[in-house]
Amino acid sequence: MKTVPDFQKWKVARTPITMVTCYDAATSKILNETSVDALLVGDSCAMVVHGYDSTIHATVEMMVTHTAATRRGAPDKVIVADMPFLSYRGSIDASTQAVSELMRAGANAVKVERSKGNCELISRLVEAGIPVMGHLGLTPQSIHEFG
């Protein structure tokens, strides 16, 4: 089984890392049998699975459900769960509670879309032993800011 510390080793060795977005047990069961390194339970499930027009409709509860389903199908994969829109922008306690729920659902790490304004939360999570992944490139939670 691959683990989060493997990612650091691969980074140092400049070894490519593969990650596929997944939302359910059936797909993750198939992916569990592949060489893919990690599965991302993306907030894009709001659009892809639930039919919403953007990712901002994803909730912590929705992400917990999809993370748990993905974990059940892929017990051997590293699973990264997206923090849904604004779940990391409230109080530190509320944000930490959201992370706790995602980790209990089976995530090995969480992904936060923005770092600006989240440094205190990210520091607190990392100090608590929770791996945090940043998000580079397209930031769909910012749809109203960027259009």
Side-chain angles (χ1 to χ4, degrees):
M1 178 175 163
K2 296 170 184 166
T3 64
V4 172
D6 291 329
F7 284 60
Q8 182 62 34
K9 293 176 196 167
W10 297 331
K11 179 182 177 185
V12 170
R14 301 173 87 67
T15 302
I17 297 168
T18 57
M19 183 179 289
V20 175
T21 301
C22 186
Y23 316 110
D24 61 79
T27 306
S28 66
K29 185 173 183 175
I30 294 167
L31 291 169
N32 197 54
E33 301 302 320
T34 70
S35 62
V36 169
D37 298 314
L39 304 179
L40 170 68
V41 181
D43 58 357
S44 53
C45 68
M47 298 171 71
V48 175
V49 178
H50 297 277
Y52 288 107
D53 63 350
S54 75
T55 63
I56 66 170
H57 299 282
T59 64
V60 172
E61 294 78 18
M62 186 185 292
M63 297 307 299
V64 165
T65 297
H66 288 284
T67 299
T70 300
R71 172 53 69 205
R72 286 190 294 274
D76 302 326
K77 294 294 181 187
V78 170
I79 295 181
V80 179
D82 254 342
M83 293 288 294
F85 181 64
L86 293 182
S87 66
Y88 49 86
R89 298 301 280 187
S91 71
I92 293 291
D93 289 342
S95 299
T96 303
Q97 180 60 38
V99 170
S100 174
E101 292 177 37
L102 291 167
M103 298 299 285
R104 284 190 178 109
N108 300 100
V110 294
K111 182 172 77 66
V112 178
E113 188 165 296
R114 295 173 166 238
S115 62
K116 187 176 181 180
N118 293 322
C119 292
E120 182 182 355
L121 173 63
I122 292 168
S123 293
R124 182 170 176 173
L125 295 175
V126 170
E127 288 171 12
I130 298 168
V132 178
M133 180 176 143
H135 182 125
L136 301 173
L138 180 66
T139 52
Q141 292 179 8
S142 303
I143 187 165
H144 297 298
E145 180 180 356
F146 298 118

